[in-house]
Amino acid sequence: MKMKMSSETSPLTKKKKEGLGWIELIRGWSCVIHEFLFQRFMSSHLQNPLPLPSLNHLTCIVTGSTSGIGRETARQLAEAGAHVVMAVRNTKAAHELIQQWQNDWSGKGLPLNLEAMELDLLSLGSVVGFCNVWNSRLSPLHVLINNAGIFAMGEEQKFSKDGYEQHLQVNHLAPSLLSLLLLPSLLRGSTSRIINVNSVMHYVGFVDPDDMNVVSGRRKFTSLVGYSGSKLAQVMFSNVLLKRLPQETRVSVVCLSPGIVLTNVARDLPRYVQVQYALIPYFIFSPQEGCRSTLFSATDAQIPEHCEKLKTDDKPICTFISQDCKHTKPSEEAHNIETANRVWEKTMELIGLPLDALERLIEGQEVQCRYGTHQE
């Protein structure tokens, strides 16, 4: 009679990882501290603002572009000649900014090519609706910049109306759905890019694909756990997306760190932390400095070639650009192929898409999303 070896006694059974080990945490926090202390020194070779080539041929969508890094990114892309779509919750604020920028630009050249479209990342239905409206134009999209993000430091766990932890939804799930559903337009762009504004904080992040909402009780939720985990999930999803996009699509996928930047995220910080922010301006980037790695990722001519190389490389990673506009590697945990594939599958489930959605979108087929029907 054959005996079955239980999972408890099998030497081949791997114990499920429930968090980063001490050595991984030490290495991760070392990266965070190093960026904080030395980002200005490491970026001293960069001009501020970053010089841009003529971008008259580009159409760019920038999420979260009414404040911080996104605002600077949208303005500078438009001043370089790009058609910029400000994808934002508050379209009134966006229209006011557009008017202000047009007035400031008056007399310097042709009027800036800017428009505002409503997009609420806390609603996956809003993401589907946005994509339907944009794709219906049948226009090419050259650059999608997933810039919007939240870090509700010190706040208790909150959930979107879709039922997902807010950091997870805004920083990972909604941008993932947006990137996939805009693929028809990105494919029309001939050579196009998906740019994800990530964070050095992903180095201290951990993702449990079976508990992405952090509600099982196995880990205690904090805003830091929510934020860093969502940023790591974004990198892992991007790694898989790059590998699964056929070379003939000519779509690049890039994650980047803007550095540690003084933006509106600081308004959510405890008062004593805001005071510390104000006292250490030397170390912290302004939004104009912080958007340089985004602009570099969106415009550098070598990015597509680098992405194509990574597609065929054994390393399971996408292009990652550091705050000094140099190619670097994401965290050790981001290299975990098994977890990244599970994050991909779980993400597809959470955003309401079938597992073969990517392939079907590339083939020009309509895809049903649980949060609405995707239409070209």
Side-chain angles (χ1 to χ4, degrees):
M1 184 173 69
K2 291 184 179 179
M3 297 287 291
K4 275 192 178 180
M5 185 175 286
S6 72
S7 60
E8 287 78 17
T9 58
S10 171
L12 300 177
T13 301
K14 285 174 27 176
K15 183 180 178 182
K16 182 179 177 181
K17 189 171 183 179
E18 296 183 353
L20 297 182
W22 283 108
I23 293 178
E24 293 170 305
L25 278 172
I26 290 171
R27 286 175 179 165
W29 280 112
S30 295
C31 290
V32 175
I33 293 169
H34 183 270
E35 180 150 306
F36 172 72
L37 292 177
F38 300 108
Q39 64 177 10
R40 192 167 294 282
F41 172 76
M42 291 188 294
S43 302
S44 59
H45 65 285
L46 297 176
Q47 292 179 248
N48 185 38
L50 190 74
L52 295 176
S54 172
L55 304 177
N56 294 326
H57 59 295
L58 291 187
T59 294
C60 310
I61 291 176
V62 186
T63 68
S65 43
T66 54
S67 65
I69 298 169
R71 174 175 171 166
E72 278 296 318
T73 300
R75 181 182 64 80
Q76 292 188 45
L77 287 172
E79 290 182 355
H83 170 208
V84 178
V85 179
M86 301 173 69
V88 297
R89 277 188 303 172
N90 188 344
T91 54
K92 181 176 181 292
H95 283 124
E96 290 173 354
L97 269 179
I98 290 172
Q99 187 59 55
Q100 176 189 324
W101 292 342
Q102 295 286 16
N103 292 338
D104 294 343
W105 187 254
S106 180
K108 297 180 182 179
L110 294 173
L112 303 179
N113 191 356
L114 285 149
E115 66 173 303
M117 290 180 64
E118 186 174 354
L119 173 65
D120 182 2
L121 298 182
L122 278 169
S123 166
L124 295 180
S126 174
V127 174
V128 176
F130 175 92
C131 294
N132 286 341
V133 171
W134 177 261
N135 287 330
S136 68
R137 298 184 180 188
L138 301 178
S139 300
L141 174 62
H142 304 98
V143 184
L144 168 63
I145 300 178
N146 288 311
N147 165 82
I150 60 169
F151 186 7
M153 187 178 283
E155 292 190 12
E156 62 183 21
Q157 193 171 21
K158 294 180 182 177
F159 298 88
S160 71
K161 66 180 182 181
D162 299 314
Y164 303 126
E165 193 277 316
Q166 62 177 354
H167 293 92
L168 177 70
Q169 174 145 340
V170 173
N171 299 340
H172 170 54
L173 296 180
S176 299
L177 182 59
L178 188 68
S179 299
L180 290 172
L181 295 188
L182 286 177
L183 265 177
S185 293
L186 287 162
L187 293 174
R188 292 188 195 102
S190 181
T191 300
S192 55
R193 310 181 190 197
I194 298 170
I195 311 294
N196 296 313
V197 179
N198 200 260
S199 169
V200 71
M201 292 299 293
H202 90 269
Y203 281 88
V204 294
F206 178 78
V207 181
D208 181 352
D210 298 322
D211 185 29
M212 293 182 73
N213 262 343
V214 196
V215 293
S216 68
R218 289 192 296 269
R219 289 184 296 150
K220 181 181 174 163
F221 177 85
T222 64
S223 53
L224 177 61
V225 166
Y227 179 75
S228 60
S230 67
K231 289 299 187 180
L232 176 60
Q234 183 181 60
V235 176
M236 287 180 160
F237 186 88
S238 300
N239 292 344
V240 179
L241 177 59
L242 177 69
K243 292 290 186 179
R244 293 195 178 197
L245 282 167
Q247 287 199 10
E248 57 267 24
T249 62
R250 303 181 72 187
V251 178
S252 300
V253 182
V254 183
C255 289
L256 65 94
S257 170
I260 298 175
V261 186
L262 185 59
T263 68
N264 278 0
V265 168
R267 70 187 172 197
D268 298 321
L269 304 180
R271 182 63 187 168
Y272 72 93
V273 179
Q274 292 189 43
V275 171
Q276 291 175 349
Y277 257 64
L279 292 175
I280 46 177
Y282 175 79
F283 296 100
I284 297 179
F285 281 168
S286 67
Q288 183 170 275
E289 292 169 315
C291 76
R292 291 179 297 191
S293 54
T294 302
L295 295 172
F296 174 84
S297 299
T299 62
D300 181 68
Q302 302 304 314
I303 291 287
E305 181 183 335
H306 189 77
C307 285
E308 290 304 317
K309 184 178 178 182
L310 285 175
K311 277 181 188 287
T312 56
D313 198 289
D314 290 336
K315 295 173 186 172
I317 56 174
C318 69
T319 298
F320 197 97
I321 302 298
S322 59
Q323 40 73 32
D324 55 355
C325 297
K326 294 182 179 178
H327 293 271
T328 187
K329 293 179 182 178
S331 70
E332 293 177 45
E333 188 65 14
H335 285 70
N336 189 323
I337 302 175
E338 181 183 352
T339 303
N341 284 326
R342 288 176 62 214
V343 166
W344 171 274
E345 293 172 0
K346 190 65 178 180
T347 298
M348 298 298 278
E349 175 190 330
L350 296 180
I351 62 179
L353 291 178
L355 272 178
D356 63 347
L358 176 62
E359 292 74 22
R360 288 165 59 184
L361 286 165
I362 290 172
E363 291 172 4
Q365 299 178 26
E366 187 177 276
V367 170
Q368 289 293 125
C369 176
R370 187 165 69 244
Y371 299 95
T373 301
H374 169 59
Q375 303 167 344
E376 282 203 46

